[in-house]
Amino acid sequence: MTTEVLTSKKKIRILIADDHPLFRRGLKNAFSETPDIEIIAEADNGNDVLDKIRDQELSLVILDISMPGKDGLEVVKQIKTEYPKLPILIMSVYPENQYAVRFIKAGAAGYLTKESALDTLLHAVRKVSQGGKFASPEITERLAFDFLETNKPLHETLSDREYQVFLMIARGKSLTEIANELSLSVKTISTHRSRILEKMKMKKNAELIHYAINYSLI
């Protein structure tokens, strides 16, 4: 069955993708009294998201950015390649300033944190499902003026994977822990670390941590 975006006159049919069952249950409970919104599928890893999308008619995907298997950015890019009209709303524990711009540039239609109020979530779901965009004024401004910036911060020179590894290093995780979490080899993570240090003109993890704190990235 081909995935398609349903019109606003029909129910908003949602797939929730998050590896925490309690969070998925909480969302289902939150939407249970909204007659225009229906949770029709759930996924707990990146590969499962893509499989479920192919079998459903969806209005919207609500996606966490950290799940087993394919990471959030990979999932967003693949969804937008296969189903360019299917909106994606990111819900994450991470603050907007860490990931929102990257995910919206990758094709997500909106970004909000898991601490957002229910009214904010409902507004975002309805707006994004109808083809709109949802982000805070700060993120919207950053996106609008990004093309004018000539002296971007060093962390914005990193690739998506490098940025992900950089933040994990800045949070104090070891290379082994990062490798296990991302299902990559320690050698691959070590290579990413070397490239990160080179691009950011640094020599030690302590410098990365200090930089991340200064830019409020952790």
Side-chain angles (χ1 to χ4, degrees):
M1 185 179 297
T2 301
T3 298
E4 62 182 37
V5 181
L6 304 183
T7 68
S8 59
K9 294 181 180 179
K10 297 180 180 179
K11 279 193 174 184
I12 300 171
R13 294 163 57 87
I14 297 176
L15 182 152
I16 301 173
D18 193 288
D19 61 336
H20 294 94
L22 288 177
F23 179 75
R24 297 199 307 270
R25 186 184 307 169
L27 276 187
K28 291 176 73 174
N29 289 338
F31 293 139
S32 63
E33 296 185 8
T34 53
D36 62 325
I37 298 173
E38 180 181 12
I39 307 300
I40 64 165
E42 300 177 40
D44 62 6
N45 64 74
N47 293 322
D48 193 28
V49 173
L50 297 166
D51 290 339
K52 295 285 177 63
I53 285 176
R54 297 183 182 109
D55 295 331
Q56 305 290 343
E57 292 183 348
L58 298 173
S59 310
L60 173 68
V61 175
I62 295 179
L63 180 70
D64 187 17
I65 68 175
S66 298
M67 293 184 295
K70 291 180 180 289
D71 69 38
L73 276 168
E74 289 180 86
V75 174
V76 169
K77 290 174 181 178
Q78 190 161 345
I79 291 173
K80 300 312 291 185
T81 297
E82 296 185 28
Y83 309 102
K85 294 183 180 180
L86 179 61
I88 303 167
L89 177 63
I90 302 298
M91 283 201 74
S92 173
V93 295
Y94 299 116
E96 277 189 325
N97 65 317
Q98 291 187 17
Y99 282 110
V101 169
R102 283 182 181 262
F103 272 85
I104 291 173
K105 284 184 176 180
Y111 189 107
L112 70 166
T113 69
K114 291 182 177 180
E115 296 179 351
S116 301
L118 177 57
D119 287 348
T120 301
L121 171 59
L122 293 176
H123 173 66
V125 164
R126 290 171 177 138
K127 184 174 183 179
V128 167
S129 68
Q130 294 176 18
K133 304 290 184 183
F134 183 88
S136 70
E138 291 79 11
I139 296 301
T140 301
E141 183 175 353
R142 281 181 59 187
L143 287 165
F145 290 97
D146 183 68
F147 70 96
L148 295 175
E149 293 185 23
T150 56
N151 296 312
K152 293 184 179 182
L154 290 173
H155 66 272
E156 292 190 10
T157 66
L158 303 176
S159 70
D160 291 334
R161 178 65 84 185
E162 289 166 353
Y163 183 70
Q164 184 180 29
V165 172
F166 158 60
L167 288 182
M168 296 173 85
I169 292 173
R171 295 187 191 109
K173 294 191 176 186
S174 69
L175 298 187
T176 300
E177 289 173 327
I178 297 171
N180 290 337
E181 189 168 330
L182 299 181
S183 300
L184 297 171
S185 70
V186 174
K187 183 178 179 180
T188 297
I189 299 302
S190 180
T191 299
H192 284 312
R193 175 183 175 274
S194 297
R195 289 174 179 166
I196 291 165
L197 290 170
E198 181 181 354
K199 286 184 177 182
M200 298 187 68
K201 301 175 174 59
M202 296 176 186
K203 296 181 179 180
K204 299 182 295 184
N205 287 2
E207 294 176 273
L208 296 176
I209 295 170
H210 183 69
Y211 178 97
I213 291 172
N214 280 347
Y215 275 86
S216 300
L217 299 176
I218 58 173

